[in-house]
Amino acid sequence: MEAKVIELKYCLYARKSSESDERQAMSIDSQLAEMRNLAEIEGLNVVCELQESCSAKDSGKRPIYNKMLKGLAGDEYNAILTWAPDRLSRNAGDLGAVVDLMDQGKLLHIRTYSQTFTNNPNEKFLLMILCSQAKLENDNKSINVKRGIKTKCEMGWRPGVAPLGYMNRAFGGVNDIILDPERAPIIKEAFEKAGYERWSGRRLKAWFDEQGFTNRSGKQVSVSQILVILSTPFYYGRFQYPQAPDAPWYDGAHEPLISKALFDRVQETRGINKGLWGSKTFAFRGILKCGQCGADITAQDKFKTLKKTGEVKRFVYYNCARRKDPNCKEKYINEDNLCELMRGFIEANHKQIKITEKLRAKVDKHMYITKTLLTHYKIDQKLDEPFIEYARYVLMNGTENEKTGLAAGMETILQIRYGELEFHGQ
């Protein structure tokens, strides 16, 4: 007899803190927009939307949140769609109410932007850890800031200091970017000289110096700075944010200094098509060697468009740099597989791995939070050595920054040989 499939009915819940309202003014709208988009992509059945501006610091003080809990208890819906776990709880009381509803079979699924939680011991435990970390460390504040930055980018305003030729201006609580009346005409003419007259970087440098052109520090610009200017799409009205190869592009709301045609002409004549802003980050590149030839392990990423959603997904691969032996036969390894290898290796060899004091502090904090949760919810679970517990959490569920921090804190160099991890020099 086939098991009955229960239809998931979602309540979309969005919250911002009542504190610092002006700073978080776009928080609710951006949360709703992101989660509505996710629901459409994944075909989630959203039966209601609830939103409120209220702090989650104290238990039981949010009227709309309490209404959502009553709706779950009354079988109006059985799943929650929200931006992140900290939107639901930053205190033990509200977290306990959510877990109790999961235990009662009233709450079957929680979907956030990057994770899912079901009535599974491991997933509930992870949910409790994440919500408690939000209370103790305010871990997800950076996510909220990024969301606000994304909204600002979508409005056409690039965050940060404007490129030379433009100035940042703030008025009425709004930041915008305007042309610099002194520098903009000179930069525009430099584009024209580079595009139509094929001036070299050194010739432009001499011309800039003749014009008395300086950067904001009052210093003359270098040839490399001029090449950056000539390679920056912001001047024709487009920008990429954050400064990374796979970051999205936005149409700027600022006044373009040059045309797209002139910018393209400069790139064609000078052959400049490099991603000059930002660099690729690979979590484990610095701690690995090739066990066959002794060269460094390097990394590269590839992007694949998923057929079902159209989403572009990033895949990271690690491989021997082959500087010592161009014919080295060590194969590529996917980062997900490397995380599995790393987890097993640490579990088996944690006593021989040296870590920094900074990483040790993170390990100890994670263990403190874990023990506190186990005690509070009266969960009888045996824990491994603190470093194993922390590494397991980061490698299985951690963010890219957490993985990078784990690797940076390991002072012991490892090597990959025949697809397996070993201590370097074995």
Side-chain angles (χ1 to χ4, degrees):
M1 183 176 179
E2 294 183 359
K4 183 179 179 181
V5 178
I6 300 176
E7 179 187 5
L8 292 178
K9 295 182 292 184
Y10 287 85
C11 171
L12 195 165
Y13 176 78
R15 178 188 67 81
K16 73 170 184 177
S17 175
S18 59
E19 303 165 356
S20 305
D21 279 334
E22 182 178 342
R23 179 166 58 89
Q24 301 186 44
M26 294 184 291
S27 180
I28 287 283
D29 290 339
S30 55
Q31 284 180 56
L32 291 172
E34 291 287 355
M35 303 320 296
R36 286 167 182 162
N37 183 54
L38 180 63
E40 181 177 354
I41 291 173
E42 297 189 0
L44 305 181
N45 179 23
V46 177
V47 297
C48 75
E49 293 185 1
L50 298 175
Q51 56 179 286
E52 62 183 340
S53 299
C54 191
S55 173
K57 183 173 62 174
D58 298 319
S59 176
K61 298 294 180 68
R62 289 179 284 163
I64 303 300
Y65 181 80
N66 293 336
K67 178 181 177 181
M68 180 183 69
L69 296 181
K70 290 181 180 178
L72 287 164
D75 298 324
E76 295 176 27
Y77 33 81
N78 54 17
I80 296 173
L81 175 62
T82 191
W83 170 255
D86 71 346
R87 298 300 88 193
L88 297 177
S89 172
R90 287 178 179 269
N91 64 80
D94 288 344
L95 175 58
V98 169
V99 174
D100 285 343
L101 286 167
M102 297 179 83
D103 290 339
Q104 296 168 27
K106 298 288 187 177
L107 176 56
L108 304 180
H109 196 261
I110 297 175
R111 181 69 169 95
T112 71
Y113 185 78
S114 59
Q115 293 171 297
T116 60
F117 304 92
T118 62
N119 190 19
N120 170 288
N122 291 332
E123 293 182 10
K124 283 193 295 186
F125 186 55
L126 176 59
L127 175 66
M128 290 187 286
I129 288 179
L130 292 175
C131 290
S132 295
Q133 282 181 326
K135 175 178 172 59
L136 296 176
E137 305 172 1
N138 203 14
D139 257 357
N140 289 322
K141 185 181 293 184
S142 62
I143 296 176
N144 299 331
V145 170
K146 289 178 182 177
R147 188 176 61 249
I149 289 175
K150 181 181 177 183
T151 302
K152 181 179 179 181
C153 288
E154 290 172 346
M155 293 172 63
W157 300 115
R158 176 180 172 272
V161 179
L164 280 178
Y166 288 90
M167 299 187 300
N168 295 88
R169 180 181 65 172
F171 65 97
V174 178
N175 294 316
D176 69 349
I177 298 173
I178 61 173
L179 290 170
D180 183 334
E182 295 183 2
R183 295 185 176 91
I186 297 176
I187 290 179
K188 181 178 181 180
E189 190 172 348
F191 270 99
E192 293 169 345
K193 292 181 181 299
Y196 300 128
E197 303 177 42
R198 296 177 179 264
W199 277 29
S200 68
R202 292 188 180 279
R203 188 176 179 185
L204 285 170
K205 157 69 174 166
W207 179 75
F208 269 112
D209 292 346
E210 289 175 5
Q211 306 302 311
F213 188 94
T214 61
N215 59 26
R216 294 187 181 94
S217 300
K219 297 180 181 179
Q220 293 179 337
V221 293
S222 64
V223 173
S224 62
Q225 287 175 317
I226 293 171
L227 296 181
V228 169
I229 289 172
L230 296 177
S231 306
T232 302
F234 188 89
Y235 292 103
Y236 76 81
R238 293 269 288 168
F239 65 92
Q240 190 179 27
Y241 195 88
Q243 299 168 7
D246 57 342
W249 285 87
Y250 301 93
D251 292 318
H254 61 281
E255 180 182 347
L257 182 60
I258 61 171
S259 67
K260 175 68 162 53
L262 176 56
F263 180 83
D264 290 341
R265 185 180 181 88
V266 172
Q267 311 318 301
E268 291 171 3
T269 57
R270 300 194 54 79
I272 302 172
N273 277 307
K274 299 179 181 178
L276 295 171
W277 287 355
S279 60
K280 298 181 180 181
T281 57
F282 302 100
F284 304 107
R285 186 167 59 180
I287 64 168
L288 298 172
K289 296 282 186 180
C290 175
Q292 294 203 50
C293 71
D296 291 334
I297 292 292
T298 187
Q300 57 184 294
D301 51 10
K302 296 183 182 296
F303 299 90
K304 182 178 179 181
T305 302
L306 303 182
K307 292 183 179 179
K308 289 186 177 180
T309 64
E311 175 191 2
V312 178
K313 188 172 183 180
R314 181 183 186 231
F315 295 89
V316 177
Y317 298 89
Y318 291 80
N319 62 282
C320 174
R322 292 179 172 79
R323 292 196 178 96
K324 295 187 177 182
D325 179 6
N327 299 314
C328 180
K329 298 186 183 302
E330 190 63 49
K331 295 181 179 180
Y332 288 75
I333 183 169
N334 180 285
E335 185 171 86
D336 291 339
N337 295 334
L338 179 58
C339 285
E340 285 291 330
L341 287 177
M342 190 79 69
R343 180 170 64 89
F345 187 84
I346 290 174
E347 288 174 354
N349 303 281
H350 66 278
K351 292 182 179 179
Q352 298 167 261
I353 298 175
K354 295 181 180 180
I355 64 175
T356 63
E357 289 299 319
K358 184 177 181 180
L359 179 55
R360 175 59 63 186
K362 293 180 181 178
V363 169
D364 292 342
K365 180 176 284 187
H366 178 81
M367 181 56 70
Y368 170 76
I369 293 172
T370 303
K371 287 182 176 178
T372 300
L373 282 168
L374 291 174
T375 301
H376 181 83
Y377 291 99
K378 299 178 181 179
I379 299 174
D380 184 16
Q381 179 175 323
K382 185 178 180 181
L383 296 175
D384 281 318
E385 195 271 340
F387 181 44
I388 292 178
E389 288 286 345
Y390 181 74
R392 185 182 294 147
Y393 160 72
V394 169
L395 293 169
M396 294 178 67
N397 300 290
T399 64
E400 194 68 29
N401 286 339
E402 287 173 327
K403 291 176 183 176
T404 301
L406 173 66
M410 292 175 58
E411 297 180 319
T412 302
I413 302 298
L414 307 179
Q415 67 184 24
I416 299 176
R417 182 163 60 178
Y418 302 115
E420 298 293 335
L421 272 179
E422 304 172 342
F423 286 108
H424 181 51
Q426 279 190 345

